[in-house]
């Protein structure tokens, strides 16, 4: 177990030892580990990653490791953070609802922040119970006509019940023209803008380039005098949760931006050593790389034991799949690299997926996420004293039952030579969430180096886009 000062811990017991990764595997990889460490140090200092090119084939910086550090001239500066907080304060006791439009990296981190901070019932609470912050809805993360219609109907009904109803549309798109995001935004904006009693404002979060390089969204923002925030150069979607992309949602719901960035910073500082045994991101990357290379563990299940953290697993799916799922290495040789990510939630999926984890092929690493102390933690009561099986549970806290379930799952897997690991969060807080997300992001950067693949491009998602664009064009001109 590698435990940080904050109490955050990475328990690799079920990845390391006899029948699993052993010391000789790690010493055999020593040269590559040292090179991966040096490459990530170089990235931190210069933003350069060997061989990384942008979509248009030109060298592109990788700057996500700068985001935790708030300083003049950095991507997050004291001024930019103050502006985000002022935006949040302007919504408080003023806006009724926010709709966030975005997909992929322009959505998933926002969902993590919303779920972790707000939980499932935020939008059913009174404004007072929400501390004056608005309701928040997501759209654009699918092109689903029915759900978009439902959302419009819901907002129109709310506006009939309360006039004026103040709605903020936050449109997040780095490229500024993504079909899924923009189609939803256009439909919702058009349906609501002239509705009686509705006051709509729009916020655009996009590439800040001006002039000829301005995105479509940026141009619209300028023409319509919308507030803008930036998706900075050098920050890919899946690494953007610590930039204005994720922090806009944080501001909308009163999530602690300072603590979130402080957690990321603490993790960055804890991951500076070349020795993997003292660097949790490097250790996690090395163990998982070896588990795949030497033991065929090519599937990675991410299984938080917390409903509010299911979105972390969804965010991680994108991070792992887009970063490490690569056809070629940086020499252009076909390697078909990467583990297939799977979302699971404890205890829910112990009644579903666990059957396959336990008895299916030995091709998985199950990564558990445990919260040590819960803010609310009911005791299971002896409500029906005559029911013996139920009274056996009585007196236990729900978190104790949850912990036993996680431990039992890990033990059953380990007894059958199945690999797992546990990330321990002392509490579900902005600080520890920052630590966790940053660790996972840094771990894929290290693994990109170990596997010699570009962890920062995503050429595979261009393949369908090349097919889709002319099809859309043809459809538009067919008059259907
Ligand atoms: O990681 C990525 O690059 C993608 O998932 C993008 O975030 C996603 O396609 C959305 O792109 P955009 O922000 O340009 O709308």
């Amino acid at each position: 177990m590698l435990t940080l000062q904050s109490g955050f811990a990475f328990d690799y017991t079920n990845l390391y030892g006899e029948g699993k990764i052993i010391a000789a595997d790690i010493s055999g990889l020593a040269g590559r580990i040292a090179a991966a460490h040096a490459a990530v140090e170089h990235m931190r200092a210069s933003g350069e990653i060997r061989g990384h090119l942008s979509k248009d084939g030109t060298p592109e910086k990788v700057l996500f490791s700068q985001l935790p550090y708030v300083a003049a001239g950095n991507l997050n500066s004291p001024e930019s953070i103050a502006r985000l907080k002022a935006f949040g304060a302007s919504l408080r006791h003023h806006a009724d609802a926010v709709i966030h439009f975005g997909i992929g990296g322009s959505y998933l981190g926002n969902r993590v922040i919303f779920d972790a901070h707000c939980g499932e019932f935020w939008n059913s609470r009174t404004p007072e119970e929400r501390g004056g912050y608005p309701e928040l809805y997501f759209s654009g993360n699918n092109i689903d006509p029915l759900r978009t219609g439902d959302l419009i109907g819901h907002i129109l009904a709310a506006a009939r019940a309360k006039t004026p109803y103040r709605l903020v549309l936050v449109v997040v798109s780095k490229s500024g023209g993504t079909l899924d995001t923009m189609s939803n935004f256009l439909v919702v904006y058009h349906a609501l803008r002239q509705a009686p009693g509705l006051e709509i404002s729009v916020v655009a979060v996009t590439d800040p380039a001006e002039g000829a390089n301005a995105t479509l969204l940026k141009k619209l923002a300028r023409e319509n005098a919308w507030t803008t925030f930036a998706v900075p150069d050098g920050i890919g979607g899946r690494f953007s949760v610590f930039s204005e992309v994720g922090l806009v949602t944080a501001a909308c719901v009163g999530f602690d931006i300072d603590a979130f960035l402080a957690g990321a910073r603490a993790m960055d500082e804890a991951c500076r050593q070349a020795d993997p045994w003292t660097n949790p991101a490097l250790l996690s990357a090395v163990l998982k790389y070896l588990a795949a290379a030497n033991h065929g563990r090519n599937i990675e299940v991410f299984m938080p034991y917390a409903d509010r953290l299911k979105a972390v697993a969804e965010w991680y799916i994108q991070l792992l799949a887009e970063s490490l799922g690569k056809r070629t290495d940086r020499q252009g040789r076909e390697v078909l690299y990467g583990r297939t990510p799977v979302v699971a939630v404890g205890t829910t999926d112990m009644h579903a997926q666990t059957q396959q984890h336990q008895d299916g092929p030995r091709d998985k690493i199950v990564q558990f996420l445990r919260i040590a102390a819960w803010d609310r933690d009911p005791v299971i009561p002896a409500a029906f004293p005559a029911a013996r099986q139920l009274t056996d549970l009585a007196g236990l806290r729900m978190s104790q039952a949850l912990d036993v379930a996680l431990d039992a799952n890990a033990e059953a897997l380990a007894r059958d030579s199945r690999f797992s690991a546990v990330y321990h969060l002392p509490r579900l807080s902005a600080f520890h969430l920052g630590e966790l997300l940053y660790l996972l992001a840094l771990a894929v950067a290290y693994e990109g180096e170990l596997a010699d693949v570009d962890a920062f491009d995503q050429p595979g998602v261009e393949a369908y886009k090349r097919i889709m664009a002319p099809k859309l064009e043809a459809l538009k001109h067919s008059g259907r």
Side-chain angles (χ1 to χ4, degrees):
M1 177 111 101
L2 206 173
T3 306
L4 304 183
Q5 237 174 16
S6 66
F8 183 102
F10 173 48
D11 182 353
Y12 52 83
T13 313
N14 292 325
L15 278 180
Y16 184 75
E18 208 189 312
K20 295 166 274 191
I21 319 291
I22 54 171
D25 295 329
I26 297 187
S27 48
L29 201 68
R32 304 249 296 274
I33 295 171
H37 174 261
V40 170
E41 283 298 298
H42 182 67
M43 175 194 80
R44 282 182 167 113
S46 66
E48 287 164 13
I49 279 282
R50 183 169 60 82
H52 172 60
L53 300 176
S54 71
K55 235 182 341 194
D56 57 20
T58 53
E60 181 180 60
K61 294 219 166 178
V62 174
L63 298 174
F64 79 91
S65 59
Q66 192 199 92
L67 292 170
Y69 298 92
V70 180
N74 280 4
L75 296 175
N76 284 325
S77 67
E79 295 71 32
S80 72
I81 298 296
R83 191 167 163 262
L84 279 161
K85 289 181 183 170
F87 168 65
S90 76
L91 303 186
R92 207 168 170 201
H93 305 295
H94 185 72
D96 295 294
V98 169
I99 304 178
H100 173 106
F101 296 87
I103 192 163
S106 294
Y107 159 70
L108 290 158
N110 303 72
R111 182 90 219 187
V112 169
I113 288 174
F114 177 79
D115 282 9
H117 180 66
C118 302
E120 189 179 338
F121 302 107
W122 175 264
N123 291 342
S124 327
R125 296 203 178 119
T126 63
E128 293 67 39
E129 287 165 344
R130 293 193 304 267
Y133 288 101
E135 295 175 12
L136 193 142
Y137 300 90
F138 289 99
S139 178
N141 55 310
N142 199 351
I143 314 174
D144 180 324
L146 196 53
R147 184 179 184 275
T148 303
D150 286 347
L151 177 62
I152 291 167
H154 177 74
I155 298 291
L156 287 173
R160 282 195 293 274
K162 177 188 177 297
T163 303
Y165 189 84
R166 299 193 177 93
L167 178 67
V168 184
L169 307 182
V170 179
V171 191
V172 187
S173 177
K174 181 172 180 162
S175 61
T178 301
L179 169 70
D180 324 58
T181 305
M182 297 311 278
S183 59
N184 276 279
F185 167 60
L186 295 174
V187 169
V188 171
Y189 182 68
H190 182 73
L192 297 181
R193 72 179 161 166
Q194 278 163 357
L198 254 173
E199 288 177 12
I200 297 186
S201 56
V202 182
V203 174
V205 186
T206 189
D207 187 317
E210 293 283 0
N213 291 329
T215 67
L216 182 67
L217 183 56
K218 183 79 182 176
K219 286 181 195 150
L220 282 174
R222 201 182 324 106
E223 283 160 22
N224 294 284
W226 297 337
T227 298
T228 57
F229 290 98
V231 190
D233 264 358
I235 303 297
R238 56 193 181 271
F239 298 92
S240 68
V241 65
F242 298 107
S243 76
E244 291 189 350
V245 173
L247 301 183
V248 161
T249 293
C252 288
V253 295
F255 179 71
D256 190 338
I257 291 175
D258 296 327
F260 186 53
L261 294 178
R265 203 159 55 239
M267 185 56 74
D268 190 58
E269 284 158 4
C271 295
R272 298 305 295 264
Q273 306 298 318
D275 175 5
W277 296 108
T278 60
N279 176 336
L282 183 55
L283 182 60
S284 154
V286 165
L287 292 176
K288 289 190 279 179
Y289 173 79
L290 286 168
N294 297 357
H295 298 269
R297 310 296 158 132
N298 289 320
I299 294 178
E300 201 171 320
V301 180
F302 201 93
M303 190 165 185
Y305 273 62
D307 284 337
R308 284 194 182 203
L309 295 182
K310 181 179 183 188
V312 175
E314 288 162 349
W315 172 86
Y316 185 66
I317 295 303
Q318 187 202 23
L319 180 71
L320 185 70
E322 286 195 347
S323 302
L324 298 179
K326 296 293 151 72
R327 181 181 297 270
T328 59
D329 68 11
R330 289 185 291 198
Q331 275 56 253
R333 293 178 296 232
E334 185 166 282
V335 288
L336 305 178
Y337 189 74
R339 292 179 295 285
T340 302
V342 175
V343 173
V345 175
T347 58
T348 311
D349 282 298
M350 292 173 72
H351 300 261
Q353 285 189 42
T354 293
Q355 168 61 33
Q356 209 274 351
H357 302 170
Q358 187 71 47
D359 284 353
R362 287 190 181 83
D363 56 1
K364 291 168 208 66
I365 304 165
V366 184
Q367 289 182 108
F368 299 114
L369 195 55
R370 181 203 299 274
I371 294 172
W374 294 74
D375 288 348
R376 289 185 294 283
D377 193 3
V379 173
I380 301 169
F384 301 99
R388 181 63 211 285
Q389 213 185 332
L390 295 180
T391 51
D392 284 350
L393 296 174
L396 288 179
R397 296 204 164 276
M398 288 188 81
S399 67
Q400 291 176 305
L402 186 69
D403 278 347
V404 169
L406 192 163
D407 289 340
N409 192 1
E411 193 175 322
L413 292 171
R415 283 187 192 181
D416 195 42
S417 306
R418 291 165 190 273
F419 289 12
S420 70
V422 190
Y423 298 104
H424 291 258
L425 269 60
R427 287 179 47 237
L428 176 45
S429 68
F431 182 90
H432 296 305
L433 190 64
E435 285 183 300
L436 174 73
L437 300 185
Y438 192 82
L439 177 145
L440 295 169
L442 199 58
V444 301
Y446 281 124
E447 190 170 341
E449 294 300 320
L450 291 171
D452 195 21
V453 296
D454 184 349
F456 301 98
D457 67 359
Q458 55 279 334
V461 299
E462 297 306 316
Y464 77 82
K465 288 185 187 168
R466 281 192 291 273
I467 298 170
M468 189 169 72
K471 278 184 187 288
L472 279 172
E473 195 61 24
L475 188 63
K476 214 171 63 184
H477 290 112
S478 73
R480 271 192 285 154

